[in-house]
Amino acid sequence: MTSTAKLGWYVRRLGRMSAAEIAWRAREQAIRRAWSRRQVRQGQIASGALSVAADRPFTAVLPADAAQRVPGHARDAIIADSDRLLKGEWEMLGVVRTDMKQPDWFYDPLTGRRSAPDTYAFQINQRSEEQTGNVKQVWELSRLQHLTLLATAWFLTHEEGYAQRVADQLRSWWLENPFLSGVNWTSGIEIGIRLINFAWIRRLLDSWPGAADLFEHSDLALRQVHWHQQYLAAFESRGSSANNHVIAEAAGQLAASCAFPWFTESARWRVRSAQLLERELARNTFTSGINRELASDYHGFVAELGFFAAVEADAAGTPLSAETWRLLCAMADSMAALVDERMQAPRQGDSDEGRVVLLDAPGHNRWPMLLSLGDALFGRLDWWPATLPGAGSALLGAMLGSKREIPGRPGQRPSHFKDAGITILRTARGNSPEIWCRCDGGPHGFLSIAAHAHADALSVEVRHGGVDILADPGTYCYHGEPQWRSYFRSTIAHNTVELAGRNQSIEGGPFMWLRHARAREIQVADLSWTAEHDGYVSLRPPVRHRRSVRLDPEAACLEITDVVTGDSDDMRLAFHLGPDVRAELADDCALLEWTSAGSTYAARLELAHGLRWSLHRGETVPILGWYSPGLGRRVPAVSLIGEGRCRQRTSLVTTLNFAAS
């Protein structure tokens, strides 16, 4: 980023802040400058005595029979992945690393860059690929979740190699990442997640002979746990940044102050972080349980943070309020309501595949694991999809003791979340392959910057038997490739209408929107939905887009009607197919075909008349025809683009017929 572009970003960012937030951030910057005196560099001996209790037992242990509660399939998968780790192999955000025996905590394998370990953390521009490489790769490694998985393997087998690798790498990280030195001290969310993993590593290694020497008898460990909490106590995400980041910060502080209550400040930190977590969970969550960022992956991430923090507080004898437990239960119930027949979540908004604690071998679809955690804490309802228990649900459930009874849970599967503007149209349970359709008629995102939103108002996602047919494109990247970041968030990358060659909402940076399209649902029934948005009323003359979707289960047919009111010479209607779908375009019809579970399926997509339709796949000038299965990964996929113009009132009808072959 050039200096001019950087200045422009700061001006736009300030414009999204209130006066109170600007004052707070000015104060925070002054503290950051003052704290440069506190930086500890590699090889230095930290100054200042720790105010820590002389007697430091670790009491938040698992029941004696906890290991026996872990199902055999989960145990086998954990051991297999842990053995890969012992060999030095691991996949992280789509990149297979072979350096996991002795990881370089500052190296990004994507760009080959290594950030400077001794640079003062608050002088590092974490968004600069020149300084840090792809910072997500570096941070992901330093969440140390792979060590939690190895500790779980030790807990289940008592094989020394697992515990020793954990101890060696923890000491390595602690030595090479002293307080405020390097990129791993630049983000509170990372610090919060590490603290939760510190607690679980200590818990899982409790009966290992070296556990106490690794943690409570180690000056290095004590300083690191204290430094992490000092940081979170001083630097809190506020105002326009108080999204999932502040939840992670509060959850980490709460977990650590409960599990490691050895410091003079522990009681104060525990009370403050519990209050912060409860307040921000309520602010970040609709009454229905849907996360207000309206990014499906972050819904799961925030729920997981809440689950682990709440159980930690409960085990410490300082439980969170009944209202917070109700809210966490609502998050679990809404997750169960949203998934398709393969227990796959919607792909709405940003996704960075964020996890909190790895107690199970990681799978590409983590929602079954999240639902099993919800089952362990609250119990599944009759309408929930069947969940397969894992190590995480067994251990978290064992730590909680008995399931929480939450009154007022939904008696049947919800299909409409009015406050979030999410509607799911689907065929009846038992009719497989299931036709599943998500309709987006809700807010653009959360807070003034809507950091993880996409310009996707009125878009639809359609699946057949869990296979993406009309697909949301995903995310692909956060840092380092601005053109790709912009494309995957754009209106043309989603299944909706683009006008005048611009997004419905106005982009101000990779995590900032300057103007938010406002959508509203007009009519919602069991199998039909209508909504509109105002993202193009700023055009001259103003234009409005209204969309209706109707599912006919008997005919296995989905009808999409777009009504564009106003004049525009540049209108594009986009339909993006999943990567498994093959397509042949003939005039205003696309013949679709795909294979799933050994069977071949077909559908006929009757495209709106009056537009010039073209097929695109894997194009880069301009970018079009791509699908991201996960952060850091993109694959070619077919995009069907209809171009034309509208005058006064234009009605466009698209029909997806699954019965046609």
Side-chain angles (χ1 to χ4, degrees):
M1 184 184 291
T2 66
S3 57
T4 302
K6 188 175 180 180
L7 178 61
W9 180 88
Y10 278 114
V11 170
R12 293 191 298 272
R13 188 67 180 84
L14 282 169
R16 309 309 296 167
M17 299 180 195
S18 66
E21 183 181 354
I22 291 171
W24 167 260
R25 288 183 181 271
R27 176 182 175 275
E28 186 180 71
Q29 288 302 317
I31 295 173
R32 289 182 172 192
R33 287 191 293 272
W35 274 38
S36 63
R37 301 189 303 269
R38 301 190 184 193
Q39 181 189 3
V40 181
R41 290 180 171 81
Q42 287 187 26
Q44 285 184 334
I45 299 174
S47 60
L50 273 178
S51 183
V52 60
D55 184 29
R56 301 184 290 274
F58 184 82
T59 58
V61 297
L62 289 162
D65 67 340
Q68 284 69 52
R69 302 188 194 188
V70 175
H73 68 89
R75 184 183 187 277
D76 292 345
I78 290 164
I79 292 169
D81 270 19
S82 295
D83 287 345
R84 279 187 65 207
L85 275 166
L86 289 184
K87 293 176 183 176
E89 300 172 2
W90 194 243
E91 182 177 330
M92 197 166 289
L93 298 179
V95 177
V96 176
R97 298 187 66 138
T98 57
D99 62 344
M100 296 299 289
K101 286 185 178 180
Q102 293 181 309
D104 184 335
W105 306 112
F106 305 94
Y107 175 72
D108 164 36
L110 276 178
T111 62
R113 292 189 173 96
R114 185 177 193 271
S115 59
D118 280 342
T119 302
Y120 180 50
F122 296 132
Q123 292 177 344
I124 297 172
N125 179 7
Q126 63 203 43
R127 294 182 177 87
S128 169
E129 196 169 270
E130 291 183 2
Q131 286 191 38
T132 66
N134 185 306
V135 75
K136 287 293 292 181
Q137 284 287 336
V138 182
W139 281 345
E140 192 75 12
L141 176 64
S142 284
R143 290 183 174 185
L144 304 177
Q145 293 159 331
H146 66 289
L147 299 185
T148 311
L149 188 70
L150 284 170
T152 307
W154 185 89
F155 181 75
L156 297 175
T157 66
H158 282 206
E159 291 187 14
E160 179 69 15
Y162 299 131
Q164 195 58 57
R165 181 63 59 84
V166 173
D168 290 345
Q169 290 198 11
L170 262 185
R171 290 191 181 106
S172 166
W173 196 95
W174 287 337
L175 284 168
E176 294 181 39
N177 290 271
F179 193 39
L180 299 179
S181 285
V183 71
N184 292 315
W185 287 98
T186 58
S187 172
I189 187 173
E190 306 303 318
I191 289 165
I193 290 172
R194 270 199 300 275
L195 281 172
I196 300 173
N197 282 275
F198 287 167
W200 273 92
I201 289 168
R202 175 61 186 85
R203 177 171 295 118
L204 293 162
L205 294 182
D206 186 62
S207 57
W208 180 57
D213 287 339
L214 180 61
F215 278 90
E216 54 264 34
H217 297 165
S218 165
D219 182 73
L220 177 62
L222 290 171
R223 287 191 181 277
Q224 280 284 359
V225 173
H226 191 263
W227 284 336
H228 277 65
Q229 293 185 85
Q230 267 190 313
Y231 184 109
L232 294 180
F235 304 108
E236 173 192 319
S237 294
R238 290 198 177 192
S240 55
S241 295
N243 53 13
N244 66 86
H245 285 236
V246 73
I247 305 293
E249 293 159 8
Q253 182 81 287
L254 178 58
S257 58
C258 289
F260 308 120
W262 306 325
F263 307 100
T264 302
E265 308 97 327
S266 292
R268 173 165 51 86
W269 285 340
R270 183 174 62 249
V271 171
R272 179 184 174 278
S273 58
Q275 292 172 343
L276 178 63
L277 179 64
E278 293 198 309
R279 184 179 75 239
E280 293 302 330
L281 270 175
R283 287 180 176 175
N284 275 257
T285 312
F286 289 111
T287 303
S288 64
I290 301 291
N291 181 261
R292 286 182 184 269
E293 291 198 75
L294 293 172
S296 307
D297 207 46
Y298 282 96
H299 177 120
F301 177 63
V302 169
E304 189 182 354
L305 285 165
F307 294 166
F308 277 94
V311 170
E312 200 77 58
D314 211 72
T318 56
L320 299 179
S321 69
E323 175 55 26
T324 296
W325 278 98
R326 185 209 66 79
L327 195 63
L328 292 172
C329 183
M331 296 180 79
D333 285 337
S334 60
M335 284 191 286
L338 290 172
V339 295
D340 65 22
E341 70 172 27
R342 292 189 185 178
M343 291 217 290
Q344 299 170 130
R347 286 166 54 87
Q348 184 177 16
D350 271 349
S351 167
D352 69 351
E353 302 174 71
R355 302 168 189 265
V356 180
V357 179
L358 271 189
L359 299 174
D360 280 285
H364 288 297
N365 179 14
R366 68 192 183 94
W367 278 54
M369 179 273 292
L370 290 169
L371 289 177
S372 73
L373 292 179
D375 185 9
L377 300 186
F378 309 108
R380 63 182 298 274
L381 297 170
D382 290 341
W383 55 261
W384 272 38
T387 58
L388 188 65
S393 58
L395 299 180
L396 202 64
M399 191 171 168
L400 182 63
S402 58
K403 296 182 181 184
R404 285 273 175 161
E405 292 289 336
I406 306 295
R409 297 174 68 184
Q412 58 186 5
R413 190 176 203 172
S415 60
H416 178 221
F417 298 89
K418 183 178 180 180
D419 48 11
I422 295 175
T423 297
I424 304 293
L425 310 179
R426 69 169 93 222
T427 50
R429 178 174 286 185
N431 289 359
S432 187
E434 173 195 62
I435 300 173
W436 176 98
C437 174
R438 175 184 65 84
C439 303
D440 179 2
H444 175 61
F446 184 47
L447 302 174
S448 62
I449 61 172
H452 292 297
H454 291 185
D456 56 358
L458 308 195
S459 65
V460 295
E461 269 186 276
V462 180
R463 296 177 189 157
H464 180 270
V467 176
D468 282 319
I469 306 301
L470 301 183
D472 185 283
T475 301
Y476 175 56
C477 68
Y478 278 175
H479 303 285
E481 298 179 85
Q483 288 182 312
W484 288 97
R485 173 67 174 151
S486 291
Y487 170 74
F488 275 94
R489 299 203 304 163
S490 70
T491 297
I492 196 59
H494 292 81
N495 298 312
T496 188
V497 171
E498 179 207 69
L499 295 173
R502 49 166 271 191
N503 291 326
Q504 308 153 336
S505 296
I506 306 303
E507 187 180 25
F511 296 96
M512 179 167 52
W513 295 92
L514 301 178
R515 183 189 180 280
H516 304 179
R518 293 175 298 179
R520 68 182 186 97
E521 293 179 317
I522 297 168
Q523 177 271 334
V524 178
D526 285 346
L527 295 171
S528 65
W529 167 90
T530 300
E532 67 178 11
H533 75 84
D534 68 354
Y536 293 117
V537 296
S538 61
L539 296 177
R540 291 293 174 264
V543 184
R544 283 192 176 270
H545 175 208
R546 176 177 291 195
R547 168 171 279 184
S548 298
V549 181
R550 184 175 65 87
L551 173 62
D552 183 343
E554 296 299 323
C557 179
L558 194 79
E559 183 180 85
I560 302 170
T561 302
D562 291 294
V563 176
V564 181
T565 305
D567 293 346
S568 177
D569 289 328
D570 186 0
M571 176 176 64
R572 292 197 290 177
L573 173 60
F575 290 109
H576 303 275
L577 309 183
D580 297 327
V581 180
R582 302 175 292 277
E584 180 181 333
L585 180 62
D587 297 324
D588 292 346
C589 176
L591 303 178
L592 315 182
E593 188 178 83
W594 63 95
T595 302
S596 177
S599 297
T600 299
Y601 297 91
R604 184 181 181 91
L605 185 63
E606 295 283 356
L607 299 162
H609 298 303
L611 301 178
R612 300 181 304 277
W613 287 95
S614 55
L615 185 151
H616 308 264
R617 186 175 186 275
E619 298 173 7
T620 57
V621 185
I623 299 171
L624 199 59
W626 295 92
Y627 175 99
S628 173
L631 201 69
R633 290 168 284 164
R634 67 175 190 256
V635 295
V638 171
S639 292
L640 298 164
I641 305 296
E643 299 181 75
R645 62 182 185 175
C646 58
R647 287 290 180 267
Q648 296 301 312
R649 179 183 170 90
T650 301
S651 183
L652 305 166
V653 180
T654 305
T655 304
L656 178 58
N657 190 340
F658 289 102
S661 63

